[in-house]
Amino acid sequence: MVHVPLLLVYTLYLSRDDHVFFASIKIIMRSLFSLSALRPFHVRDSRPAMVTRRWNSHYQNHTKGYQAMGSFHSDDVDMLMAQSDAVYKPPPLPFEGTVETDHDFLIDRQRWTFLNHGAFGGALKVGYDRAEQWRLHLERQPLRYFDRDLLPHLVYSARRLADFTGASREATTLIPNVTYGLNTVLRGYTRVLGNQAHIVLWDTSYGSLKKMAHQLCNRVTEIPLSKYLDKAKNLENPNEIFAMALSDTLGNMDCHNALLVLDQTTSNTAINMPLHSLSTLAKELGMLVLVDGAHGLLAQPVQLSNLPNVDFYLANGHKWLSCPRGIGLLYCPSAEWRDTILEEPAVMSHGIGQGFQSRFLWDGCRDYAAALSVPAVLDYWQARGVDQVQASLATKLYAAVHLLGQAWHGHADDVTLVPLELHAPMMALVRLPPGLQRLPAATSDDAKRIQDFLFDHFIEVPIKCINGVLYVRISAHVYNDLEEYSRLAKVILDYATK
């Protein structure tokens, strides 16, 4: 039946008369549809019921048109992020596989004494394994991964991180790391404020942050916190040094709409800033507040809903939370700032001009496995008990400081850079023995020389030179034990005698 019209079409095509050709095609198509309609009922609907149901399901799920940014075949990420728990359905893993928990971390602790988790972290095995599963799933069918699986699972990771940090979901999104977030916030702030932009940071702020600020803003004020550190030992409340330094530096300066950058924990000096009191003071001066929370997640309590005066909060997942590298958090509770200062991410892609999640979750074709590992990592820590983990880190750090103080100074009093209560609960600076202190003042070259010696003895820990005095910055995570700090104490004493 079909061969006759096909032969007729071919004959008409050979006639080279376009008008006759297309008119004839219309007649043939009408005839074919009429014949189809005249087929017996039982023939026309003879497909198995399962096939019918499959088609209905396909029609319902795949004929809604594009919902997400660009041409991704998944639901709108902003809609998914906004859904209530009663409505939202976490996406199932698109592959078979579990992650083993026999070993916590992948660090080679048989060979290395690793006391520098605060630098670049160290991935949990469960996170690393889950990331590898995602990478394999990607390579088995790349379009399935990017078009259909990736975005819903990124939303799930973002929802989990928002809940973990006590943040509203609509105000929280994922970024690769704090550096990405700083670039985004500082660029957006200077773009919106223009000539009125004024960035206020500290001499203890992270080095790359200082470079960004001076690169992007014509007016940068640096608070000399280092000059106030010695005063902390004589104050009933050592935390007062931060407000003192800020007030003395800013004085009668007009700080309206200036951007104050706070560190939850300073990198070089491992000092915790009182975020609540400083952000409250900043608001009284009319300032915006950005918190660099690179050392925040897991190691210390983070409840962002308890910081109402913080406008932007950035965090890394690869440090104390111990995700694979490549995942961070950006929190901004103000819808106004999300739509203005955060209008343009550091890397713009399909989501630009759309919702908060659309702008940030996708920034191009890259490896998102670290972000996709977040649920497995959070499951691991929550199974161990987050409060118990935080308490164990603080207890271990206190014991380590006491051990080093006794070994190097014969006591544990006044051996840290600042009173221990000002240091982070999982990281502190302990003064090296008197025999290693160069008079009248040590230098960063002295610090490097000692750190290289320790590295040659398979001890990874940084040596810091602060105001001409040498310190070791120790970290304490769940895998560390006191024997490792004892080894550090002994090797340092050996170096001093040599």
Side-chain angles (χ1 to χ4, degrees):
M1 189 70 186
V2 175
H3 298 292
V4 175
L6 286 178
L7 182 60
L8 178 58
V9 168
Y10 182 66
T11 304
L12 290 169
Y13 173 73
L14 293 178
S15 72
R16 296 295 191 269
D17 187 328
D18 291 343
H19 178 74
V20 174
F21 175 74
F22 287 111
S24 302
I25 288 294
K26 291 180 181 179
I27 295 172
I28 292 170
M29 294 303 294
R30 288 196 193 103
S31 300
L32 289 175
F33 281 122
S34 298
L35 288 171
S36 175
L38 291 173
R39 284 186 298 175
F41 180 84
H42 70 277
V43 174
R44 191 152 29 104
D45 289 330
S46 60
R47 293 171 299 168
M50 180 178 68
V51 176
T52 304
R53 287 195 300 270
R54 185 180 301 161
W55 167 252
N56 290 338
S57 174
H58 171 87
Y59 186 84
Q60 293 171 1
N61 294 331
H62 300 293
T63 60
K64 295 183 296 185
Y66 292 114
Q67 305 295 306
M69 71 194 93
S71 57
F72 292 102
H73 294 254
S74 56
D75 287 331
D76 176 74
V77 292
D78 290 283
M79 178 271 292
L80 290 175
M81 195 67 173
Q83 284 180 342
S84 66
D85 289 335
V87 174
Y88 177 75
K89 295 181 180 179
L93 283 173
F95 47 79
E96 296 288 338
T98 59
V99 286
E100 300 296 333
T101 58
D102 293 341
H103 303 284
D104 292 338
F105 287 84
L106 296 171
I107 294 170
D108 183 6
R109 294 182 60 240
Q110 292 186 346
R111 182 175 179 84
W112 286 92
T113 298
F114 193 80
L115 304 174
N116 195 12
H117 195 96
F120 297 102
L124 279 170
K125 188 176 185 299
V126 293
Y128 177 87
D129 288 347
R130 178 51 48 83
E132 286 297 290
Q133 289 173 345
W134 273 109
R135 292 185 181 107
L136 179 60
H137 178 69
L138 156 63
E139 299 304 339
R140 289 193 184 280
Q141 217 284 39
L143 268 295
R144 174 187 58 186
Y145 168 89
F146 283 114
D147 265 355
R148 305 175 190 277
D149 294 335
L150 176 61
L151 292 180
H153 283 273
L154 287 179
V155 170
Y156 182 52
S157 293
R159 289 174 67 102
R160 291 289 303 271
L161 265 185
D163 296 346
F164 185 75
T165 56
S168 63
R169 292 168 183 159
E170 66 177 0
T172 308
T173 193
L174 304 181
I175 53 176
N177 50 51
V178 167
T179 300
Y180 183 103
L182 288 171
N183 272 275
T184 298
V185 176
L186 296 191
R187 288 178 186 275
Y189 169 75
T190 53
R191 184 187 68 250
V192 171
L193 271 292
N195 293 331
Q196 298 180 9
H198 176 198
I199 298 176
V200 180
L201 38 75
W202 311 71
D203 64 348
T204 55
S205 296
Y206 196 56
S208 67
L209 166 61
K210 295 180 182 180
K211 294 180 178 180
M212 288 181 219
H214 286 283
Q215 182 72 22
L216 297 171
C217 188
N218 293 326
R219 188 182 180 194
V220 178
T221 298
E222 187 172 296
I223 301 172
L225 179 62
S226 297
K227 295 182 179 179
Y228 291 78
L229 297 182
D230 288 339
K231 297 180 180 181
K233 302 170 184 177
N234 302 319
L235 295 174
E236 183 177 347
N237 179 9
N239 273 309
E240 292 178 1
I241 62 170
F242 300 99
M244 290 170 54
L246 187 149
S247 299
D248 290 348
T249 303
L250 300 183
N252 297 322
M253 193 183 300
D254 181 9
C255 293
H256 183 68
N257 283 335
L259 177 65
L260 175 65
V261 185
L262 302 175
D263 285 293
Q264 184 162 10
T265 302
T266 60
S267 177
N268 206 43
T269 50
I271 297 172
N272 263 19
M273 289 187 173
L275 300 182
H276 192 277
S277 62
L278 286 179
S279 60
T280 301
L281 176 58
K283 284 303 173 186
E284 294 172 358
L285 298 174
M287 307 175 79
L288 281 71
V289 178
L290 163 63
V291 174
D292 179 344
H295 292 273
L297 299 185
L298 181 75
Q300 43 197 322
V302 176
Q303 285 296 308
L304 295 177
S305 59
N306 294 336
L307 295 172
N309 294 313
V310 170
D311 298 291
F312 310 94
Y313 180 91
L314 307 170
N316 280 326
H318 69 263
K319 285 186 182 285
W320 300 93
L321 192 60
S322 302
C323 295
R325 289 150 198 84
I327 177 59
L329 172 145
L330 166 59
Y331 166 77
C332 175
S334 167
E336 177 185 359
W337 298 141
R338 292 199 299 270
D339 292 341
T340 54
I341 291 177
L342 300 182
E343 180 184 12
E344 298 180 2
V347 175
M348 291 181 280
S349 190
H350 285 298
I352 196 65
Q354 296 179 241
F356 188 47
Q357 304 301 330
S358 296
R359 298 198 301 273
F360 280 89
L361 288 185
W362 170 265
D363 55 19
C365 183
R366 63 174 176 86
D367 186 354
Y368 291 87
L372 299 171
S373 76
V374 166
V377 171
L378 292 180
D379 288 344
Y380 174 87
W381 290 123
Q382 288 168 341
R384 290 193 63 157
V386 174
D387 292 341
Q388 292 85 340
V389 169
Q390 292 169 351
S392 71
L393 301 191
T395 300
K396 190 177 300 180
L397 182 76
Y398 178 86
V401 169
H402 186 86
L403 185 156
L404 296 176
Q406 289 288 348
W408 294 341
H409 304 284
H411 61 84
D413 299 326
D414 192 25
V415 297
T416 50
L417 173 64
V418 292
L420 196 54
E421 62 191 275
L422 289 190
H423 276 303
M426 70 297 176
M427 200 163 60
L429 268 67
V430 181
R431 192 170 67 253
L432 292 185
L436 291 180
Q437 304 294 342
R438 182 184 293 273
L439 298 177
T443 67
S444 58
D445 288 341
D446 299 318
K448 181 182 183 302
R449 192 176 301 112
I450 298 172
Q451 186 168 335
D452 288 343
F453 176 83
L454 292 172
F455 182 85
D456 290 341
H457 287 74
F458 301 99
I459 298 177
E460 187 61 67
V461 69
I463 305 298
K464 304 293 184 180
C465 181
I466 310 296
N467 295 334
V469 180
L470 295 175
Y471 297 85
V472 60
R473 192 195 71 184
I474 56 171
S475 295
H477 214 316
V478 294
Y479 57 82
N480 292 124
D481 57 51
L482 289 183
E483 291 182 6
E484 293 176 298
Y485 302 100
S486 294
R487 181 162 186 264
L488 168 64
K490 180 180 183 303
V491 174
I492 283 290
L493 290 175
D494 289 344
Y495 180 84
T497 59
K498 294 177 182 179

